[in-house]
Amino acid sequence: MLRLRQFSDTRKLVPRKLFSIFLSLFFWVSPAFSATVIDDLGQTIHLSKTPQKIVTLYGALTDILLELGLGSKIVACTKEDKNLEPLRNKPAIGTHIRPNIELIVSLKPDLVLQMGTRRHSLMPVHRLQKLSIPVGVFNVQNFDELFVTIDKIGKLCGVERSARHLISKLQNRLKKVADLRPKNFSPPMVFFEVRYPNLLTVGKRSIVTEIIAKAGGINPVSKDKKLVRISEEMLIALNPDIYIVQRGPMNKDPLPLNSRPLFRNLKAVKKENILYVDEKKYSRPGPKAVQAVEELSRFIRKFVAKKSYSAGGSD
C-alpha cells in the first residue's frame, strides 16, 4: 500500500514540475525592452531594444554614461574625451560641432547623444536623423535640468534604477555642501574667467552661475546669456572678491593675473583670492559639476575664515 501511494504522488508531481519549468522559461525569455523619451528639442525618441552601441558627441553626456556604468557601450567619442581612461581605445569622431558623420554611420550606433546648446551642434543631428539613426538632444543649463537628463538617458539605455541612484547620490552631495555653507556672512562676489584675452565670462544661463551660488557665492554678471563678453574696465568696476580662472580648451594658457596691468588693481588679485580650475569640471553641465561645487565651497569657506580672522568680518 505504501509503495502504491508513493507512485501516485510522484505522478502528481511531474506535471507540476514541468509547469513551473515552463513558467520560469517564459519569464526568462519575455523581458522585451521599450523606451520612449521626449528630448529637449521636443522630439520623441523611441527605442525598441536596449542600445548596445552608443556614440556621444559631448563631454557632459559622456560623463553621464560613464557614471551610469555604460562605458563598454560607448563605441565612439569626441577627440576631447579620448583622454578618459575607459575610452582610450575607442575611435574619435571629431568634435562636438564637427563630427565625422561617415565614421558614425559606419559604426551603426543604436543611439547618438548630443548637447544642443549651440545652433551649429544641431547640423550633424539633422544629417544623422535623415539616415534613421536615433539622436537624443539635450540642453542642460542648471542642476535640475541635469537630473532630468540623467533620468531620460537612464530610461533610453535601460538603466533607470542606476539613474535614480546617481541622481540621489549627487543631490545628497549638494545638500552636504549647503549644510556647510557659512552662516551670517555676505556671499562673496565670484568672477569666472572663461577666456582671456578678449575676456569672456558666464551669465545666468550657464551652469557655472549655479555652481557659484550652491558653493555660497554670487556671480556679479547677471546678463540673461550663457556667455558674456566683458571689458577689462567693466571688470575693474565689478571688483570681485574671488577670481576663478578656468584652464582647458577655451582658455589654454591664461596669463597669470599679476602680469595683466589692469588686473593688479582687483581686490581678488591684491589679496590672492584666485582659484585655477579645470574647464571640464566647471563648464561641462554633467555630474562633475557637483565636484566643482564641492571644490569652490571649500575655497569660499577658507576665504570667509581668512576674512573674518584678518578684518573682523569687514573689508
Side-chain angles (χ1 to χ4, degrees):
M1 284 292 290
L2 180 62
R3 291 180 62 184
L4 282 174
R5 214 159 98 190
Q6 282 176 336
F7 178 70
S8 172
D9 288 343
T10 304
R11 283 201 310 174
K12 284 179 184 173
L13 282 173
V14 169
R16 284 182 195 165
K17 277 188 177 177
L18 285 174
F19 182 67
S20 61
I21 291 169
F22 170 76
L23 274 181
S24 64
L25 282 173
F26 175 79
F27 285 113
W28 181 70
V29 170
S30 68
F33 176 81
S34 177
T36 302
V37 158
I38 308 293
D39 73 3
D40 290 345
L41 290 184
Q43 305 173 128
T44 300
I45 313 297
H46 177 74
L47 299 180
S48 56
K49 62 175 186 177
T50 311
Q52 299 300 318
K53 295 194 286 185
I54 305 171
V55 173
T56 170
L57 302 181
Y58 191 78
L61 301 174
T62 306
D63 291 341
I64 291 173
L65 291 171
L66 294 177
E67 288 284 344
L68 291 176
L70 297 169
S72 63
K73 294 190 176 181
I74 299 175
V75 292
C77 60
T78 63
K79 285 195 295 187
E80 288 297 328
D81 290 339
K82 280 288 290 176
N83 292 327
L84 297 171
E85 184 54 43
L87 307 179
R88 285 189 193 279
N89 297 321
K90 304 286 172 83
I93 44 75
T95 67
H96 162 56
I97 302 294
R98 293 186 183 83
N100 183 330
I101 299 294
E102 289 72 25
L103 177 56
I104 295 173
V105 173
S106 72
L107 293 167
K108 299 179 180 176
D110 303 311
L111 177 66
V112 176
L113 298 176
Q114 171 70 306
M115 191 69 80
T117 53
R118 298 169 71 179
R119 184 169 56 87
H120 294 302
S121 64
L122 299 182
M123 293 170 68
V125 172
H126 299 320
R127 289 183 64 190
L128 291 167
Q129 287 174 332
K130 280 182 184 174
L131 297 167
S132 301
I133 294 175
V135 186
V137 182
F138 300 96
N139 187 0
V140 180
Q141 298 179 356
N142 54 53
F143 282 98
D144 285 343
E145 290 173 355
L146 169 62
F147 299 143
V148 170
T149 300
I150 292 172
D151 181 62
K152 288 183 178 180
I153 290 176
K155 282 178 182 163
L156 280 175
C157 297
V159 290
E160 287 181 75
R161 186 179 292 180
S162 297
R164 285 196 297 272
H165 177 70
L166 175 60
I167 293 166
S168 174
K169 191 172 73 172
L170 296 174
Q171 288 173 332
N172 285 336
R173 285 168 59 187
L174 289 176
K175 185 178 179 306
K176 282 182 184 173
V177 170
D179 292 342
L180 291 170
R181 197 177 297 159
K183 306 289 187 298
N184 303 319
F185 196 88
S186 298
M189 293 286 176
V190 181
F191 183 84
F192 188 86
E193 177 181 299
V194 174
R195 186 186 65 204
Y196 178 87
N198 297 322
L199 190 57
L200 198 64
T201 186
V202 293
K204 284 168 65 176
R205 290 192 197 175
S206 169
I207 196 168
V208 176
T209 293
E210 200 174 3
I211 288 171
I212 293 171
K214 287 190 178 298
I218 293 176
N219 179 7
V221 179
S222 58
K223 281 200 174 180
D224 191 24
K225 296 172 70 175
K226 183 180 178 186
L227 296 174
V228 180
R229 208 175 293 278
I230 185 170
S231 69
E232 294 185 4
E233 290 73 19
M234 287 172 66
L235 173 64
I236 298 300
L238 291 173
N239 201 17
D241 300 297
I242 294 171
Y243 195 107
I244 298 178
V245 184
Q246 76 166 358
R247 286 176 172 146
M250 292 189 74
N251 208 23
K252 288 182 180 171
D253 192 18
L255 275 177
L257 299 187
N258 275 324
S259 65
R260 307 177 193 175
L262 285 177
F263 285 62
R264 293 176 194 146
N265 299 318
L266 291 173
K267 185 166 49 180
V269 177
K270 286 179 182 172
K271 298 190 176 182
E272 299 181 337
N273 293 317
I274 303 164
L275 181 64
Y276 288 87
V277 300
D278 180 0
E279 177 181 328
K280 291 179 182 176
K281 199 186 291 180
Y282 280 70
S283 290
R284 280 183 174 184
K288 287 178 183 169
V290 174
Q291 287 180 37
V293 173
E294 291 166 337
E295 179 182 67
L296 182 55
S297 170
R298 286 193 291 274
F299 190 85
I300 289 178
R301 292 202 304 275
K302 285 181 186 172
F303 165 84
V304 170
K306 187 168 74 173
K307 193 175 170 74
S308 300
Y309 176 78
S310 63
S314 61
D315 282 333

